[in-house]
Each structure stands twice: as structure tokens, then as C-alpha cells.
Amino acid sequence: MSDDSAAGAEADLPEGVERRTFGGRERLSTRGAQVYGEPVDAEGWRAWDAGRSKLGAMLELGMDTGLVGDESVLYLGAASGTTVSHVADFAGPTYAVEFAPRPVRDLVGVAEDRTNLFPLLKDARDPESYAHVVESGIDCLVMDVATRGQATVAVRNRQFLADDGRLLMAVKARSEDVTAEPDDVFDDVVAELESAYEILDTARLDRFHADHLGIVARPK
């Protein structure tokens, strides 16, 4: 895998995401209610901390996510809402799946300020458990699930994506095998993904997240 295949190749940001100056430094930002203590400027734009967000890191590294704004989104591994709150700021309907009850309580609080954000206390490994809630033909599947079998989860959730949709996935090598070399893990994950997806771009996210690979793909 390339260490940084997308770095330096600046891609267009989706509408609703801007680079703005916070504390003398240009950073990604979205416009919405504060969630995790991030800086907010006088116009209501809040800094998007790429060090706490794999999708933010993918955008910072210039990966071409295909996002334009106002997409329907299924977000797997939403945790307490750090990243999915930014997504909901610029996206359309955003379904946020999280398995652990404690973070979901925080996520429900985040959703109080975002009427397009729908928290779901569900297991991303069992998409049938939320298939009755999530609409079909979703524009974007965002995945940040720290579990063994990350590619399997992505393949199982392929059913929700539109034919021209996008998978935006952050693979955590240590969740697959703490003893294996990350590059070997990433190769195995990509190989499994290729049963259901065409890989469009990959980039190591180590500048922000050690032993993580960002993947952009579309359904086959």
C-alpha cells in the first residue's frame, strides 16, 4: 500500500465544508452546533479535528471522496458523534449506527441539534436489524468500525448503497490482527472488499491516525 497516495492531490470539498482559520491555522470546518469542545468562529463554523476523525483525515489528505453535499448517508461506528456530527452538518438524511449504549446516549444529544441525524443502537455486523429503518439507495456509506472482519461488515452493508454510491472506509489494522504487519492486513481487507466493490483510492492515514488505511470505493 502507498504510504500517502492521495496527499498533495487536493480534491474538491463537499458543499458545506470549508477551510477556515482557527487560532492562526487553516482547518476544515462545518457549520453547526458545537459537539466536542472544538473551536467555533463568529459565523458558526466549527473546526473539524482530523486527529479525532478518520473521514476528516481522508479529506485533509486530499482523497477524492466523491462527496458534494446533501447526500444521504449511512454511518457505521458513529460512537458519541464526533465525526457524524460534521457529516450531518453538510449531508442530507444521516443514519448513525452504534453498538454501545453509552456513546449512543451522547449521540442522541448531538441529534437534538440536527434534525437530519438518526441515531440507531444497532450492530453494524447485522444490517438486517436496521434494514427496516434505513432507506435503500443511500448515496454514501461511511465506515469506522474497530472490529475484526471490517471488510465483511462493508460487504454486508453494500445492500443499502445506490449503484453509483460511495464507500468511505477507515480500516484499523490493529483491530484485525495486532501481530500482523499493517500493510499485510490492508492488502487482505482490500482483497475481500473487491468481491463487492471497485476500489477507487487508498491512502495511509498515519499522519493523523497510526496504522489506519482510508479507502474510497463504489459498488460493483
Side-chain angles (χ1 to χ4, degrees), residues 66-77:
L67 292 169
V68 297
D70 204 34
E71 287 91 354
S72 54
V73 176
L74 173 59
Y75 194 108
L76 305 181

Side-chain angles (χ1 to χ4, degrees), residues 127-140:
E128 295 307 318
S129 68
Y130 46 88
H132 64 292
V133 178
V134 178
E135 61 190 89
S136 60
I138 289 284
D139 296 317
C140 183

Side-chain angles (χ1 to χ4, degrees), residues 19-41:
R19 295 190 182 277
R20 298 177 73 91
T21 301
F22 297 87
R25 185 160 66 94
E26 191 178 74
R27 301 172 66 177
L28 293 174
S29 65
T30 62
R31 202 169 193 172
Q34 187 185 54
V35 171
Y36 53 97
E38 69 279 13
V40 181
D41 69 14

Side-chain angles (χ1 to χ4, degrees), residues 25-169:
R25 185 160 66 94
E26 191 178 74
R27 301 172 66 177
L28 293 174
S29 65
T30 62
R31 202 169 193 172
Q34 187 185 54
V35 171
Y36 53 97
E38 69 279 13
V40 181
D41 69 14
E43 297 178 40
W45 291 84
R46 59 194 191 99
W48 189 344
D49 186 351
R52 297 181 61 173
S53 169
K54 288 30 166 251
L55 180 58
M58 291 169 70
L59 291 169
E60 281 284 12
L61 291 170
M63 295 188 74
D64 186 359
T65 63
L67 292 169
V68 297
D70 204 34
E71 287 91 354
S72 54
V73 176
L74 173 59
Y75 194 108
L76 305 181
S80 57
T82 297
T83 297
V84 77
S85 67
H86 286 289
V87 172
D89 284 347
F90 70 84
T94 303
Y95 301 92
V97 174
E98 172 55 43
F99 179 67
R102 177 66 184 88
V104 168
R105 288 198 290 272
D106 294 336
L107 190 57
V108 168
V110 173
E112 289 177 356
D113 296 311
R114 294 167 174 84
T115 58
N116 63 325
L117 178 58
F118 307 105
L120 298 172
L121 178 59
K122 299 291 184 181
D123 187 342
R125 295 169 296 185
D126 182 19
E128 295 307 318
S129 68
Y130 46 88
H132 64 292
V133 178
V134 178
E135 61 190 89
S136 60
I138 289 284
D139 296 317
C140 183
L141 172 61
V142 181
M143 187 173 152
D144 182 13
V145 177
T147 185
R148 186 183 295 270
Q150 293 164 85
T152 301
V153 174
V155 171
R156 287 178 181 169
N157 282 272
R158 155 71 179 84
Q159 62 181 292
F160 298 108
L161 269 177
D163 291 341
D164 60 348
R166 288 291 183 275
L167 168 68
L168 307 178
M169 180 178 179

